[in-house]
């Protein structure tokens, strides 16, 4: 029996080595190979939400209007003109949320603060004590439940008054954001180990001000995303430096930013131009923010070159703004870990004339990449492609491009159309993506220290509102009590957390 186990162990080692050889060259080849593995004790497992998506109470206790309140109330943007006015009602039902976290055995819970609840009018800076107390009670209770709060300062819900004052184009927002961060660090810092300055600035800037699909619905794809991203990067650095100089010694927390990115794979990995296109797409997406923060304080050379050449100006100027040397020093190194939101993968090849003509002039055209998918990839009910090996790919991209910085996956998950309790396809999705993460850690030595499911419970999924269900818990939005009911995936995830991954049945058997 002992011999048999040794033999099995040996074959696993040999197989892993082989797998490692194959997959470090191209993650695609590992698609079907399930890999048993257990992550270290201190690896943190969690679930995510965001203020606008779960809180409701949009105008209670002194909270001011934000751009998502305005966008939903305006009508014409959201499915069935639904709003987040009540949604999961977590502002009143937060104790129920903590019950669900306990049931699953989460190690951390990621959620966001609503700026307009804490500082309703950032132009005066007056703090709303009712808003602060709401979060203080909530964070204290999460902590008492033995769960680490992971707090996002900004998850897209800009106070409307700041939007009206020139939005991210008016640089006084940097001081206003700094003040808001200061309030959060000083009032909650003793309870919070993980901070995130921004959730997905790519979405804020590109979808809010480029395509206009998201609040506030502005469509200026050539200019505003670049200008606003520039300010957001400065805001991030300002908050990180504030924590570093004023709070770190006392609270010893970790501050970072969460970036969303697909994995960009060459359409044909034996074509150098496709490999280059994949690198360029990644530099335009994750690199847009990560290169300044994690590498050298500045945008990547390829992004600078391509935006300049597509600006096509007579004086050689670019639509991409420039950081001064002082900015670069200030921005470089403003991280304690890497927050990653990852869902899907794109295939890349150089753009051709037809494709260039089909995309709006600006950000998408500037990168000169044609993004496609493999039509054989399975799709989620809401249409996003399920590509588990992309998780391993993007983690390796971060390892090689950003000096193997510790990564926390801050979002990953799947939608379903009806919120079924027997959500086997969600279990399949999470199982395969977590397995690729385990391969990245145990085989490729990627420095991943945490994983977070999007999302704890069905909630207000932006323009899809409550028609897109992504939760581990089902929420009945017709029930005034908004009861939360565990789906199969919640109990499955509980097991994964308790097991720290997928222990090999042969080895433990
Ligand atoms: C992320 C957001 C989340 C959530 C999630 C849903 O971009 O940070 O708030 O909405 O996406 O995923 P998707 O709608 O891309 O399937």
């Amino acid at each position: 029996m002992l011999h048999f186990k040794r033999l099995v162990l040996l074959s696993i080692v040999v197989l892993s080595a082989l797998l490692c050889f194959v997959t470090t060259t191209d993650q695609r080849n590992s698609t079907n190979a399930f890999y048993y593995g257990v992550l270290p004790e201190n690896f943190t497992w969690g679930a995510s939400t965001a203020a606008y998506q779960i809180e409701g109470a949009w105008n209670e206790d002194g909270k001011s209007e934000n751009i998502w309140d305005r966008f939903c109330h305006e009508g014409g943007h959201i499915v069935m003109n639904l709003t987040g006015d009540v949604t999961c009602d977590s502002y009143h039902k937060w104790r129920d949320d903590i019950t669900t976290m306990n049931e699953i055995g989460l190690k951390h819970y990621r959620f966001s603060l609503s700026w307009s609840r804490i500082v309703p009018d950032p132009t005066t800076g007056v703090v709303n004590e009712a808003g602060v107390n709401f979060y203080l009670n909530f964070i204290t209770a999460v902590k008492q439940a033995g769960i680490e709060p992971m707090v996002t300062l900004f998850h897209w819900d800009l106070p409307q008054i700041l939007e009206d004052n020139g939005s991210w184009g008016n640089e006084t927002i940097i001081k206003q954001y700094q003040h808001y961060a200061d309030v959060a660090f000083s009032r909650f810092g003793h309870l919070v180990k993980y901070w995130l300055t921004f959730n997905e600035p790519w979405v804020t800037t590109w979808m809010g001000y480029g395509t206009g699909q998201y609040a506030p619905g502005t469509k200026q794809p050539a200019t505003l995303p670049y200008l606003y991203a520039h300010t957001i990067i400065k805001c991030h650095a300002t908050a990180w430096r504030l924590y570093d100089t004023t709070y770190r010694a006392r609270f010893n927390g970790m501050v970072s930013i969460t970036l969303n990115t697909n994995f960009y794979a060459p359409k044909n990995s034996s074509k150098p131009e496709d490999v280059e296109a994949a690198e360029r797409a990644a530099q335009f997406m994750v690199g847009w923010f990560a290169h300044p923060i994690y590498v050298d304080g500045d945008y990547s050379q390829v992004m600078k070159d391509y935006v300049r050449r597509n600006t096509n100006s007579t004086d050689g100027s670019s639509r991409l703004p420039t950081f001064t040397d002082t900015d670069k020093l200030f921005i470089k190194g403003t991280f304690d870990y890497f927050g990653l939101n990852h869902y899907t993968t794109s295939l890349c090849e150089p753009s051709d004339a037809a494709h260039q003509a089909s995309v709006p002039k600006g950000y998408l055209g500037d990168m000169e990449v044609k993004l496609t998918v493999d039509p054989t990839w399975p799709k989620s009910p809401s249409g996003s492609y399920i590509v588990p090996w992309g998780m391993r790919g993007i983690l390796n991209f971060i390892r090689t491009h950003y000096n193997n910085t510790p990564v926390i996956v801050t979002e990953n998950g799947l939608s379903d159309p009806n919120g079924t309790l027997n959500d086997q396809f969600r279990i399949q999705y999470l199982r395969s993506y977590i397995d690729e993460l385990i391969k990245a850690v145990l085989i490729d030595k990627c420095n991943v220290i945490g994983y977070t499911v999007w999302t704890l419970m069905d909630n207000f999924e932006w323009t899809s509102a409550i028609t897109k269900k992504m939760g581990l818990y089902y929420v009945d939005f017709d029930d005034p009590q908004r009861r939360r009911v565990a789906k199969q995936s919640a109990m499955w995830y509980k097991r994964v957390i308790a097991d720290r991954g997928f222990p090999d049945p042969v080895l433990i058997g």
Side-chain angles (χ1 to χ4, degrees):
M1 189 58 194
L2 200 65
H3 276 3
F4 176 70
K5 278 201 173 170
R6 277 213 189 116
L7 204 65
V8 172
L9 204 61
L10 192 69
S11 355
I12 289 172
V13 172
V14 173
L15 273 173
S16 323
L18 268 174
L19 197 64
C20 175
F21 173 73
V22 175
T23 52
T24 42
T25 46
D26 191 341
Q27 277 81 18
R28 269 173 273 212
N29 298 327
S30 75
T31 311
N32 299 316
F34 190 80
Y35 180 83
Y36 289 103
V38 168
L39 295 175
E41 188 81 58
N42 59 0
F43 186 91
T44 182
W45 301 86
S48 250
T49 61
Y52 187 76
Q53 297 181 270
I54 64 161
E55 282 180 6
W58 79 277
N59 59 357
E60 272 182 56
D61 294 343
K63 178 184 163 294
S64 67
E65 185 190 29
N66 64 44
I67 58 171
W68 275 91
D69 295 319
R70 175 72 62 93
F71 194 63
C72 295
H73 292 155
E74 231 164 44
H77 305 295
I78 312 290
V79 64
M80 295 184 289
N81 282 330
L82 292 165
T83 73
D85 289 0
V86 182
T87 176
C88 306
D89 200 18
S90 288
Y91 189 71
H92 301 108
K93 306 252 175 291
W94 55 268
R95 288 177 189 83
D96 296 356
D97 295 348
I98 296 179
T99 304
T100 66
M101 295 171 212
N102 273 327
E103 265 171 11
I104 306 176
L106 296 186
K107 307 270 185 236
H108 71 267
Y109 173 57
R110 173 176 179 244
F111 62 100
S112 75
L113 307 178
S114 159
W115 188 348
S116 45
R117 215 181 269 298
I118 294 179
V119 190
D121 180 353
T123 64
T124 66
V126 176
V127 174
N128 176 28
E129 289 303 326
V132 170
N133 284 334
F134 164 68
Y135 290 116
L136 202 53
N137 290 335
F138 175 67
I139 296 173
T140 305
V142 170
K143 194 83 184 173
Q144 276 166 358
I147 299 162
E148 287 294 345
M150 180 180 284
V151 180
T152 310
L153 290 174
F154 182 84
H155 200 122
W156 308 350
D157 45 359
L158 186 70
Q160 183 64 41
I161 190 164
L162 293 186
E163 180 58 28
D164 297 341
N165 268 2
S167 196
W168 301 99
N170 177 349
E171 286 216 339
T172 47
I173 202 171
I174 300 174
K175 281 272 169 265
Q176 290 153 341
Y177 179 81
Q178 180 183 25
H179 167 65
Y180 164 54
D182 199 16
V183 175
F185 293 153
S186 64
R187 305 297 283 274
F188 314 129
H190 59 298
L191 298 166
V192 178
K193 179 167 167 192
Y194 305 107
W195 290 97
L196 290 156
T197 55
F198 287 88
N199 176 69
E200 305 188 346
W202 183 92
V203 174
T204 300
T205 52
W206 174 240
M207 296 186 66
Y209 303 90
T211 68
Q213 282 161 283
Y214 281 5
T218 306
K219 295 189 180 98
Q220 296 286 342
T223 51
L224 291 191
Y226 292 130
L227 285 176
Y228 289 9
H230 205 68
T231 313
I232 288 178
I233 293 168
K234 290 182 188 173
C235 287
H236 157 80
T238 305
W240 188 90
R241 294 213 173 272
L242 169 70
Y243 190 90
D244 197 47
T245 53
T246 313
Y247 297 101
R248 188 182 298 285
R250 222 183 321 157
F251 301 142
N252 199 25
M254 294 163 79
V255 184
S256 187
I257 186 165
T258 273
L259 304 177
N260 60 302
T261 186
N262 292 3
F263 176 54
Y264 293 97
K267 184 163 185 193
N268 177 344
S269 46
S270 58
K271 281 190 176 173
E273 62 273 30
D274 288 9
V275 173
E276 220 177 274
E279 173 69 21
R280 194 158 69 244
Q283 287 301 343
F284 264 80
M285 179 109 182
V286 63
W288 186 1
F289 302 91
H291 201 278
I293 296 168
Y294 292 89
V295 181
D296 63 3
D298 198 4
Y299 301 114
S300 63
Q301 194 57 46
V302 73
M303 186 163 182
K304 291 195 283 193
D305 291 347
Y306 274 70
V307 181
R308 188 179 303 281
R309 87 181 204 190
N310 282 291
T311 302
N312 217 358
S313 65
T314 44
D315 61 358
S317 62
S318 172
R319 281 178 281 106
L320 186 68
T322 316
F323 289 120
T324 64
D325 286 346
T326 318
D327 291 338
K328 288 181 202 167
L329 277 175
F330 188 72
I331 293 163
K332 181 182 169 188
T334 52
F335 64 87
D336 299 317
Y337 61 104
F338 194 112
L340 168 72
N341 289 357
H342 175 72
Y343 292 90
T344 192
T345 288
S346 305
L347 299 178
C348 307
E349 62 193 305
S351 192
D352 50 29
H355 180 256
Q356 281 302 104
S358 73
V359 295
K361 188 172 162 51
Y363 172 76
L364 269 191
D366 293 343
M367 72 171 84
E368 297 184 30
V369 178
K370 186 170 173 187
L371 300 172
T372 52
V373 292
D374 180 335
T376 66
W377 290 342
K379 269 203 230 174
S380 77
S382 66
S384 65
Y385 287 88
I386 302 174
V387 193
W389 51 262
M391 173 64 94
R392 188 174 182 186
I394 188 62
L395 291 170
N396 273 285
F397 179 92
I398 295 170
R399 175 175 65 78
T400 54
H401 286 69
Y402 307 120
N403 201 21
N404 213 7
T405 300
V407 177
I408 298 183
V409 175
T410 41
E411 282 183 29
N412 172 239
L414 185 75
S415 66
D416 64 71
N418 53 16
T420 176
L421 296 183
N422 187 13
D423 56 343
Q424 292 305 319
F425 49 87
R426 175 168 294 107
I427 294 176
Q428 280 315 314
Y429 174 99
L430 295 176
R431 182 175 186 269
S432 58
Y433 272 70
I434 292 173
D435 193 49
E436 293 295 324
L437 180 151
I438 291 175
K439 290 177 194 170
V441 175
L442 298 182
I443 302 174
D444 309 337
K445 307 297 173 215
C446 292
N447 190 4
V448 189
I449 59 170
Y451 171 84
T452 320
V453 171
W454 182 270
T455 174
L456 181 63
M457 59 196 153
D458 293 344
N459 61 44
F460 189 86
E461 279 295 341
W462 310 111
T463 51
S464 306
I466 54 171
T467 62
K468 189 170 176 181
K469 319 272 190 190
M470 299 188 75
L472 296 171
Y473 277 73
Y474 167 83
V475 177
D476 180 354
F477 291 98
D478 293 326
D479 168 12
Q481 292 309 315
R482 298 292 196 273
R483 240 165 19 99
R484 287 90 162 110
V485 183
K487 300 181 189 175
Q488 295 282 317
S489 58
M491 294 306 112
W492 171 86
Y493 189 42
K494 179 191 177 92
R495 181 70 203 263
V496 173
I497 296 175
D499 285 349
R500 292 192 274 127
F502 308 118
D504 190 325
V506 175
L507 293 181
I508 57 173

